[in-house]
Amino acid sequence: MLQVGGTAVHAQSLAGTGSSFSKSAPYVIGGVTISGDEYLDADLIKTVSGLTVGETIKLQDDPAISKAIRNLWQQQLFSDVSITVTKVVDNKVFLNIAIVERPRLSRFSMKGVSKSQETEIKEKLSIVSNRMVTEAMKKDIEERIKKYFGEKGFMNTHVDIVEQRDTGATHSVALLIKVDKGGKVHINQISYAGNEHVSDGRLKKSMKGSKEMARISLHPADNSSVFEHKDRSFKAYMRNQGYLSLSKTLDALDPYFRWNIFAGSKFNRKKYEEDKNSILAYYNSQGYRDARIEKDTTYVTRNGHLNIDIKVNEGHKYYFGDIVWRGNTKYSDSVLSRVLGIKKGDVFNQELLDNRLGAAPSMDGGEDIGSIYMDDGYLFFQVDPTEKSIVGDTINYEIAVREGPQATIKNISIFGNDRTNDHVIRRELFTLPGNKFSRTDIIRSIRQISNLGFIDPEKVNPVPKPNPSDQTVDIDYNVVEKSSDQLELSAGFGGGVGFTGTIGIVFNNFSLRNIFKLKEWDPLPMGDGQKLSLRYQSNGLWFNSANFSFTEPWLGGKKPTALTVSGVYGRQSYSESGIYNGSPSDHYLRNFGGGVTLSKRLKWPDDNFVFSYGLNYQNYFLKDYDYFVSDFRNGNANNLFFRLTLARNSVDQPIYPRSGSNINFTFQFTPPYSLFSDKNYQTATAEQKYKWIEYHKYRFTAEWYQKIVGNLVFKMAAKYGFMGYYNKEIGYSPFERFNVGGDGLSGFNYYVGRDIIAQRGYEVYAQNAVIFNKYTAEVRYPFSLNPSATIFGLAFVEGANGWSNFKDYNPFQLNRSAGLGVRIYLPMFGLLGLDYGYGFDRTETGFGNKTKFTFMLGFEPD
């Protein structure tokens, strides 16, 4: 009997044939057969065994037999292997390799996990039926499951795999995978040794994925009696965590508060390995480029959690020395040194050096050596820093620059736009065939595409493809479309009021030219980047309004000149006995109008500027309606006005900007009718004064966005407005004034003939103002940037006020507020917003009386 790999394998004599042979004599293999094979190829088994016809062997203790058994066993495909002699003819021996194949998998099930976990685990295992069940397969299943739960903080997961014979299938087994997750393992403590120049706290801060459990801020001497006499549950809890006496418990409590109380402390091996690299990266950024982790260990404490000990060797601290440039002809040494921004004596930082050289320039708009070259077409630019010498703690560099030729843009391709026509995206690009390659032009193109509104700004990906042979470059723009159409729908009926509700729809990628092509309707013709908005709102008999607008962003298709046409109709009423009581015809206001606006992108001062000019008309008819001024209750008022707007918009994307600004100045005015009339306006009636409204009005708005760190963004805004008159005998127009405060949604009458200047934390406190100021500061952080639901939270402070005349104006007399809010942008419904603000200067007493919830729907008010 030959023992191989723990399995008994037999070399047997020929039974019942009358033949005889010697186990020690040499024989020539006359043939090899295979028995027991069901799924495996017999010729492959012969090949793997290494036994070949014509080979000379001995039947006792021959290395070839042992090697054949070992070769087959190492395949881990068999549960038994034996080699027997089937026939001997003269000096030839015929062998049979008898195998028992491992069983095949028919199905498997899991126990000890939730349905959702089972689904996720099955996706990671990728187990298919009829696959051979081997020890390696079961080991792989075990390791994958342990890794899955290990990433969730379950470091003590136990997996038991049980084979069960499947009676419904021949030579098949079912696997029952029993999982015991155990408890979550959290990091109890991280300790460092060898860090003489960097504090423990700073090293812990660099470990983003490995955080200690939060500590309780207590002073043992002050609180021991409290716990001993009053908090038995706390004592029991701490004893269960491994602290056997109260004094040890209190000694273990840190005398300070850990700011990572909300951070996850579960241990993740992968993140821990990344965190060790983060420690070294931080040391390198501080000049310790030789820093290394000499040793680290993890061990479980008595409370079942994990302690981590890390020993570092900081090495020496290094500094930058002389930096010499070689090979640069486009830019002088002084220009390159200024852009590099590293001076002799600065602390050595390899990451800083790499970023400032910009060997792989990013598309975030920052300035580095690579970027200034690539902005001038040097796509083939290369830079190679070399350490020329190290003198003490000073590293001297020579930086070789290979500028290469300037690249010309050859082809532009667009991918991913299934609904949007190519020309809609192509016309927004600043990278044009025949132009020199420019990184700045690519950044601007990304911003223009993002601001279209129907392209996911997070997934605009330009890919330059250089062609060194002809010094050209092709650029592929990969985009992902998102739904941008918005639907607003609410309805009710009854109570003597009639129909109430809102029906509104906005198409942001409309195509007017395909309006008569029914096959293009899905649900309306789309793809040309036009905007169509329709909305009807009703509060029964008391309020009805309808409006529409249409915008063609590229009038004529050749230049970025936008045409907008709009129209509006509204009617609102109230009665003496209350707004919803009595006859709705007692007092009412009816208005209708429309306008045409052209907007043109300018090239000076830069191409971020847009100049708009438009002509608008509004007609108001009042019947016993005294909302505006007390002496004007009846009659017609006509508002024919011109509006000029100069704006500069450089925000990187419209929904969640991270950088840039949006600044605009608007001048709105009517003709000075009274200057051309000989009418005595001192004795004129209100209806005569306001038949043709005259005024001039100015609005200024500025918003700035700045990334703080990651996606945390700071927003600052300032808004001003005032209106004037031509004739002091007429005075200020009763229309086009400002209402300050509130949210712009409470009270439909605020929408007609007024600019709404919302302020969170307040009701409307300044009506009919002719001048206002408003200042806002916000910190924003996104919870989701998914185009199907963009969600971010914010904290704000605001100050605003409005005045009814200029002599009372005081720019420092502001009503202040602060609070928190959330914004949700859903493609189908637009903006959903909620703010909770506290008005510091409200006259009410009590905290609750000075707070207010502010809701936003569809738009964010001024």
Side-chain angles (χ1 to χ4, degrees):
M1 182 178 291
L2 181 65
Q3 192 80 12
V4 178
T7 298
V9 184
H10 310 277
Q12 300 175 342
S13 61
L14 190 63
T17 64
S19 299
S20 63
F21 58 90
S22 171
K23 293 182 180 181
S24 60
Y27 289 90
V28 176
I29 298 176
V32 179
T33 57
I34 307 296
S35 63
D37 53 309
E38 289 188 61
Y39 299 97
L40 299 175
D41 182 73
D43 290 335
L44 178 62
I45 296 173
K46 293 178 186 179
T47 302
V48 171
S49 72
L51 297 175
T52 58
V53 175
E55 178 183 359
T56 301
I57 62 170
K58 294 180 180 181
L59 299 181
Q60 177 107 19
D61 299 329
D62 193 290
I65 297 292
S66 302
K67 184 177 180 181
I69 297 297
R70 193 172 290 109
N71 289 345
L72 292 170
W73 188 250
Q74 288 175 349
Q75 303 308 307
Q76 299 186 12
L77 301 176
F78 313 104
S79 58
D80 191 20
V81 178
S82 64
I83 299 178
T84 59
V85 176
T86 59
K87 182 170 63 176
V88 175
V89 179
D90 297 330
N91 68 331
K92 291 185 178 181
V93 62
F94 293 84
L95 304 177
N96 178 68
I97 302 176
I99 61 170
V100 178
E101 293 182 3
R102 287 187 177 274
R104 298 276 168 164
L105 177 66
S106 61
R107 53 188 171 82
F108 75 95
S109 59
M110 304 187 71
K111 185 178 180 181
V113 299
S114 67
K115 289 293 184 182
S116 60
Q117 290 173 340
E118 182 176 354
T119 300
E120 292 179 5
I121 292 172
K122 285 182 177 180
E123 291 177 355
K124 295 180 180 294
L125 294 180
S126 301
I127 300 175
V128 295
S129 60
N130 206 37
R131 178 180 173 185
M132 185 173 287
V133 178
T134 66
E135 292 301 320
M137 172 188 176
K138 292 192 285 187
K139 187 67 175 176
D140 181 67
I141 292 174
E142 179 181 352
E143 292 301 321
R144 287 176 183 265
I145 293 176
K146 286 185 175 181
K147 180 181 178 182
Y148 171 80
F149 284 108
E151 292 175 352
K152 297 180 178 297
F154 297 92
M155 301 303 299
N156 297 321
T157 301
H158 177 72
V159 180
D160 184 23
I161 302 176
V162 181
E163 289 189 24
Q164 299 173 331
R165 179 65 61 182
D166 189 349
T167 57
T170 305
H171 202 58
S172 297
V173 295
L175 295 183
L176 175 60
I177 305 173
K178 299 179 180 179
V179 179
D180 181 6
K181 296 183 294 186
K184 278 190 177 182
V185 175
H186 290 262
I187 300 173
N188 179 60
Q189 180 175 292
I190 303 176
S191 302
Y192 303 92
N195 54 317
E196 297 179 1
H197 299 95
V198 179
S199 67
D200 288 7
R202 189 60 190 81
L203 292 180
K204 289 177 182 179
K205 187 176 180 180
S206 68
M207 299 178 71
K208 304 297 184 183
S210 304
K211 301 292 185 182
E212 295 175 329
M213 292 187 297
R215 305 286 176 166
I216 304 173
S217 179
L218 294 173
H219 297 283
D222 297 334
N223 293 278
S224 57
S225 60
V226 174
F227 287 116
E228 187 162 356
H229 298 295
K230 297 183 178 179
D231 202 337
R232 303 299 178 92
S233 62
F234 180 82
K235 290 169 60 179
Y237 170 77
M238 296 305 289
R239 287 194 179 107
N240 289 335
Q241 301 306 303
Y243 296 103
L244 302 182
S245 68
L246 184 60
S247 61
K248 290 183 179 179
T249 297
L250 296 172
D251 289 339
L253 297 174
D254 285 344
Y256 58 89
F257 185 84
R258 298 256 174 124
W259 289 104
N260 63 319
I261 187 169
F262 297 112
S265 61
K266 63 186 179 184
F267 180 76
N268 183 305
R269 174 65 64 178
K270 180 180 179 181
K271 290 182 179 179
Y272 173 58
E273 295 299 326
E274 293 173 354
D275 284 339
K276 289 195 292 185
N277 292 330
S278 297
I279 290 175
L280 298 182
Y282 178 75
Y283 266 113
N284 292 339
S285 70
Q286 301 302 304
Y288 298 93
R289 71 169 195 165
D290 298 331
R292 67 183 188 276
I293 293 178
E294 290 189 340
K295 183 169 58 174
D296 70 290
T297 182
T298 60
Y299 56 93
V300 178
T301 63
R302 287 182 298 170
N303 61 12
H305 296 306
L306 200 71
N307 281 2
I308 300 175
D309 293 343
I310 300 175
K311 183 179 181 181
V312 299
N313 186 329
E314 296 179 327
H316 297 291
K317 188 171 186 176
Y318 291 88
Y319 300 86
F320 284 107
D322 295 323
I323 298 177
V324 179
W325 300 91
R326 296 283 185 268
N328 51 303
T329 59
K330 172 67 178 178
Y331 298 104
S332 66
D333 291 2
S334 60
V335 171
L336 295 182
S337 295
R338 179 187 60 79
V339 175
L340 186 66
I342 297 175
K343 302 183 293 296
K344 184 176 182 179
D346 287 352
V347 173
F348 176 80
N349 185 334
Q350 185 66 53
E351 181 181 6
L352 176 65
L353 177 63
D354 293 340
N355 290 339
R356 295 287 177 81
L357 288 175
S362 65
M363 295 300 173
D364 61 1
E367 186 179 50
D368 52 58
I369 301 298
S371 297
I372 65 171
Y373 271 99
M374 293 184 73
D375 277 345
D376 200 30
Y378 290 91
L379 179 61
F380 307 101
F381 161 86
Q382 291 181 334
V383 60
D384 182 22
T386 303
E387 295 180 4
K388 295 302 294 181
S389 63
I390 301 177
V391 181
D393 60 359
T394 300
I395 305 175
N396 298 312
Y397 270 94
E398 179 180 281
I399 302 178
V401 177
R402 290 185 288 277
E403 297 173 335
Q406 289 176 300
T408 302
I409 299 173
K410 187 176 183 180
N411 298 312
I412 301 291
S413 301
I414 301 170
F415 300 96
N417 53 318
D418 298 326
R419 302 182 67 185
T420 306
N421 295 318
D422 270 13
H423 74 271
V424 174
I425 298 177
R426 194 176 295 276
R427 69 193 183 189
E428 300 294 335
L429 302 180
F430 280 70
T431 51
L432 303 177
N435 289 359
K436 285 191 302 184
F437 177 84
S438 170
R439 185 198 65 136
T440 298
D441 287 346
I442 290 183
I443 294 172
R444 180 65 188 278
S445 299
I446 293 174
R447 180 163 68 84
Q448 290 298 119
I449 295 173
S450 299
N451 286 332
L452 286 173
F454 40 83
I455 301 295
D456 184 358
E458 304 295 327
K459 296 180 180 178
V460 180
N461 180 30
V463 181
K465 295 182 175 180
N467 306 308
S469 59
D470 59 359
Q471 300 175 12
T472 63
V473 58
D474 298 332
I475 304 176
D476 292 346
Y477 283 90
N478 299 289
V479 300
V480 176
E481 292 176 315
K482 68 174 184 177
S483 176
S484 60
D485 300 331
Q486 298 172 10
L487 175 66
E488 186 179 356
L489 181 62
S490 64
F493 188 86
V497 175
F499 172 82
T500 63
T502 300
I503 301 174
I505 192 165
V506 178
F507 294 97
N508 286 302
N509 193 7
F510 185 67
S511 176
L512 182 62
R513 65 188 176 93
N514 292 322
I515 194 72
F516 297 112
K517 299 178 182 178
L518 295 181
K519 65 179 182 179
E520 300 291 338
W521 285 58
D522 186 25
L524 284 178
M526 309 295 288
D528 281 343
Q530 299 164 341
K531 182 176 181 179
L532 175 65
S533 173
L534 303 168
R535 191 171 189 264
Y536 173 74
Q537 185 177 8
S538 173
N539 197 16
L541 302 174
W542 305 95
F543 173 66
N544 289 272
S545 73
N547 58 65
F548 87 94
S549 68
F550 171 79
T551 299
E552 165 55 69
W554 283 66
L555 186 62
K558 295 183 179 181
K559 293 184 179 182
T561 299
L563 169 68
T564 299
V565 179
S566 63
V568 63
Y569 169 83
R571 187 182 188 279
Q572 60 190 58
S573 308
Y574 72 91
S575 68
E576 296 291 353
S577 55
I579 193 167
Y580 294 121
N581 297 311
S583 171
S585 61
D586 286 354
H587 311 272
Y588 70 86
L589 163 68
R590 187 214 64 221
N591 68 291
F592 68 87
V596 178
T597 301
L598 287 172
S599 300
K600 182 178 181 180
R601 186 186 300 166
L602 305 180
K603 295 183 179 180
W604 185 89
D606 61 40
D607 54 19
N608 290 308
F609 279 87
V610 174
F611 179 63
S612 302
Y613 49 96
L615 176 65
N616 296 265
Y617 172 75
Q618 286 279 332
N619 173 268
Y620 302 99
F621 178 77
L622 286 71
K623 179 184 178 183
D624 291 329
Y625 196 90
D626 61 357
Y627 172 69
F628 296 101
V629 290
S630 60
D631 61 343
F632 182 42
R633 296 171 53 90
N634 292 277
N636 278 288
N638 299 282
N639 183 13
L640 177 66
F641 63 90
F642 302 89
R643 179 182 289 147
L644 307 177
T645 300
L646 180 64
R648 186 182 189 275
N649 187 346
S650 63
V651 297
D652 59 341
Q653 55 179 272
I655 294 180
Y656 189 76
R658 297 176 180 84
S659 63
S661 61
N662 185 10
I663 302 172
N664 70 74
F665 173 75
T666 299
F667 174 40
Q668 181 175 320
F669 63 97
T670 66
Y673 305 106
S674 63
L675 299 183
F676 306 104
S677 172
D678 57 1
K679 186 181 298 182
N680 184 354
Y681 285 96
Q682 287 184 329
T683 60
T685 64
E687 186 175 356
Q688 292 173 329
K689 287 182 180 180
Y690 304 131
K691 183 175 182 179
W692 287 95
I693 303 167
E694 59 178 43
Y695 62 89
H696 49 96
K697 185 168 75 170
Y698 309 84
R699 289 285 305 270
F700 175 78
T701 300
E703 298 175 340
W704 294 271
Y705 299 89
Q706 177 62 52
K707 184 187 298 184
I708 300 174
V709 60
N711 285 323
L712 185 67
V713 173
F714 175 71
K715 172 191 174 181
M716 184 170 63
K719 300 181 180 182
Y720 307 92
F722 68 91
M723 72 180 304
Y725 53 79
Y726 301 113
N727 190 330
K728 66 179 181 180
E729 294 180 355
I730 298 177
Y732 295 110
S733 165
F735 301 91
E736 298 296 330
R737 298 192 188 188
F738 309 106
N739 282 1
V740 185
D743 54 16
L745 296 178
S746 303
F748 53 79
N749 54 341
Y750 294 158
Y751 284 99
V752 179
R754 291 289 182 269
D755 285 3
I756 309 301
I757 313 302
Q759 184 178 7
R760 293 165 284 192
Y762 289 87
E763 303 291 349
V764 176
Y765 56 81
Q767 296 190 35
N768 297 326
V770 298
I771 183 172
F772 82 91
N773 293 357
K774 180 182 176 181
Y775 306 94
T776 301
E778 289 182 356
V779 176
R780 299 176 164 193
Y781 186 79
F783 304 123
S784 169
L785 293 175
N786 191 310
S788 62
T790 301
I791 306 171
F792 63 87
L794 58 88
F796 69 87
V797 292
E798 281 187 337
N801 208 346
W803 297 264
S804 58
N805 56 73
F806 278 79
K807 67 179 181 179
D808 294 333
Y809 173 65
N810 183 348
F812 303 104
Q813 184 184 355
L814 301 175
N815 293 314
R816 302 161 298 166
S817 63
L820 302 173
V822 65
R823 300 289 183 273
I824 304 174
Y825 283 88
L826 301 176
M828 181 60 73
F829 301 103
L831 168 69
L832 303 174
L834 173 63
D835 290 321
Y836 182 68
Y838 177 84
F840 293 97
D841 299 297
R842 293 182 64 163
T843 57
E844 299 90 338
T845 59
F847 180 87
N849 295 325
K850 291 191 174 187
T851 60
K852 183 179 185 296
F853 281 102
T854 300
F855 297 92
M856 280 146 281
L857 180 62
F859 71 100
E860 188 156 6
D862 279 341

